[in-house]
Amino acid sequence: MLPIRKKSIKVRYVQLCRLQVAVLITVAALDAADKAMLAASFPILERTLSLDVATLGYFSMFANLSYALSLPLWSGLVHRHGVKKAHSILASSCFLWGVATMLIAGSSTITWQAIFRCVNGAALASILPLSQMMLVEFVPAALRGTSFGLMAFMENLSATASTSAVVWFDDWRVPYFVVGTLSILISSIVERYLVIVHAKGAPGQNEHKMTMIQMFHRVRQIPTFFYLVCQGLFGAIPWDMMGFLLLLMKWRGFTPDQVVSIQFASGCCGTVGSLIGGILGDHFSYLRNGRIYVGLFSVLSGATFYGLFLHSKSESSSGMVYFFSSLLSPYLSM
């Protein structure tokens, strides 16, 4: 039997109604919208800029490489300047990301598209880890699952909105301009309101003197970190392949209206599943390995339905299995 919780649900969830939490969730939502637009604009880029699938794949590869190679840089900056300067680092990356996104919308050649997408990927590399790290500082431990679920809820909602806008209006430049402008505006809000006064996980004096290699050796000794890295290595291949789902549905003969309806329905299911997953994670955290079991259920069920979706050919069957895949897989947000 689960232990009785001392605080009422109303009192506990009031702690999430803070300006800092709202700003961080907004940043994460814009990040998700930007990432989703690349995959959504593939069919339009193929037609308007006369790009083949191989070139579009290179765009995705360059963005992912710059994203991965920039992660140590951002983590090194946080380690060097401390958690209390994380808001300035996040604000700088939001501004750089916004400028790069607007430059992508204004470019029409393959070379400049590739360059600006690399800069965009490098700036986006800091958004998710920094926003999640700062969210932990502003939210109590008992509500972390719900807070991450709420963040994932808004990420899925914004990604669905941006993807549907690109496909429905058959245009990719205007959504890029909108997201880029909002990213630049949010950077000033981050700089002003996300100052961390008392850091929960602030490093000690000796940790500031450690080199990046020493920090890496220390972190890799944590078993959970090793398992998460292994899971990410195997999960990254099918996860990145999802960026070509719109092209897959187009090649199977689905109309734009059918693609939008399937994408919108799955996005709505993903938003609901993310929030439910976060709440379930907090609820079962009182059990031993409760969050882990919720995560395992999410991975197994989501992967099963996603595999069925790849082999379905009709709109009804594709929409149904993609519906359950999107609903169950986001439970990892807990």
Side-chain angles (χ1 to χ4, degrees):
M1 181 179 295
L2 298 178
I4 300 177
R5 299 170 187 180
K6 298 180 180 179
K7 293 185 178 180
S8 65
I9 295 178
K10 181 177 180 180
V11 173
R12 292 174 72 243
Y13 288 110
V14 163
Q15 300 178 63
L16 291 178
C17 301
R18 302 176 60 181
L19 176 62
Q20 294 89 342
V21 176
V23 172
L24 286 172
I25 290 177
T26 303
V27 171
L30 288 174
D31 168 58
D34 191 293
K35 293 176 181 176
M37 286 191 300
L38 174 60
S41 59
F42 275 173
I44 305 176
L45 289 172
E46 183 184 25
R47 185 183 69 252
T48 58
L49 299 183
S50 300
L51 303 178
D52 55 15
V53 178
T55 303
L56 296 175
Y58 283 128
F59 280 171
S60 180
M61 182 186 70
F62 290 151
N64 288 333
L65 283 177
S66 62
Y67 187 101
L69 295 176
S70 301
L71 283 171
L73 170 64
W74 296 113
S75 62
L77 288 175
V78 175
H79 173 66
R80 180 182 180 86
H81 298 286
V83 177
K84 295 183 179 180
K85 291 292 184 180
H87 68 287
S88 297
I89 300 174
L90 181 60
S92 301
S93 60
C94 285
F95 182 83
L96 178 61
W97 153 37
V99 172
T101 302
M102 296 183 71
L103 290 174
I104 290 174
S107 61
S108 299
T109 63
I110 297 178
T111 303
W112 286 114
Q113 280 278 326
I115 293 174
F116 293 145
R117 289 189 186 278
C118 287
V119 177
N120 178 265
L124 287 176
S126 68
I127 303 300
L128 191 59
L130 281 177
S131 59
Q132 291 182 351
M133 179 199 70
M134 298 178 72
L135 186 64
V136 171
E137 298 292 338
F138 291 117
V139 174
L143 290 176
R144 285 179 184 173
T146 304
S147 62
F148 278 105
L150 185 60
M151 176 179 282
F153 176 90
M154 294 305 300
E155 288 176 345
N156 281 278
L157 191 64
S158 62
T160 302
S162 63
T163 302
S164 301
V166 171
V167 177
W168 182 263
F169 295 106
D170 199 26
D171 182 77
W172 62 276
R173 295 186 186 274
V174 174
Y176 269 86
F177 271 119
V178 172
V179 173
T181 302
L182 293 176
S183 304
I184 294 175
L185 293 176
I186 200 70
S187 63
S188 59
I189 301 177
V190 170
E191 177 65 29
R192 180 168 183 175
Y193 293 105
L194 292 189
V195 180
I196 299 176
V197 180
H198 303 289
K200 301 175 184 177
Q205 184 176 3
N206 294 330
E207 293 185 5
H208 275 302
K209 299 179 180 179
M210 296 175 64
T211 63
M212 290 297 298
I213 297 178
Q214 290 174 331
M215 289 291 293
F216 172 76
H217 285 302
R218 178 176 177 178
V219 171
R220 72 181 181 89
Q221 295 175 359
I222 303 175
T224 305
F225 174 77
F226 175 77
Y227 296 141
L228 287 175
V229 170
C230 292
Q231 185 268 340
L233 290 176
F234 288 100
I237 297 175
W239 192 262
D240 286 340
M241 188 183 65
M242 292 181 184
F244 295 89
L245 285 181
L246 294 180
L247 281 177
L248 175 63
M249 287 186 280
K250 177 185 175 183
W251 291 338
R252 287 182 174 177
F254 291 163
T255 65
D257 291 341
Q258 292 174 333
V259 173
V260 169
S261 62
I262 294 175
Q263 192 73 19
F264 182 77
S266 64
C268 292
C269 295
T271 57
V272 175
S274 300
L275 187 58
I276 294 176
I279 295 174
L280 288 177
D282 285 339
H283 183 76
F284 289 102
S285 63
Y286 292 90
L287 298 176
R288 180 179 177 141
N289 300 327
R291 294 183 188 270
I292 297 177
Y293 291 133
V294 176
L296 288 175
F297 171 78
S298 170
V299 172
L300 294 176
S301 57
T304 301
F305 282 105
Y306 183 67
L308 293 174
F309 165 75
L310 294 178
H311 290 85
S312 59
K313 296 183 179 180
S314 65
E315 180 192 7
S316 58
S317 60
S318 297
M320 184 62 66
V321 294
Y322 201 25
F323 172 92
F324 285 105
S325 174
S326 302
L327 179 66
L328 297 172
S329 57
Y331 281 10
L332 283 176
S333 61
M334 54 79 198

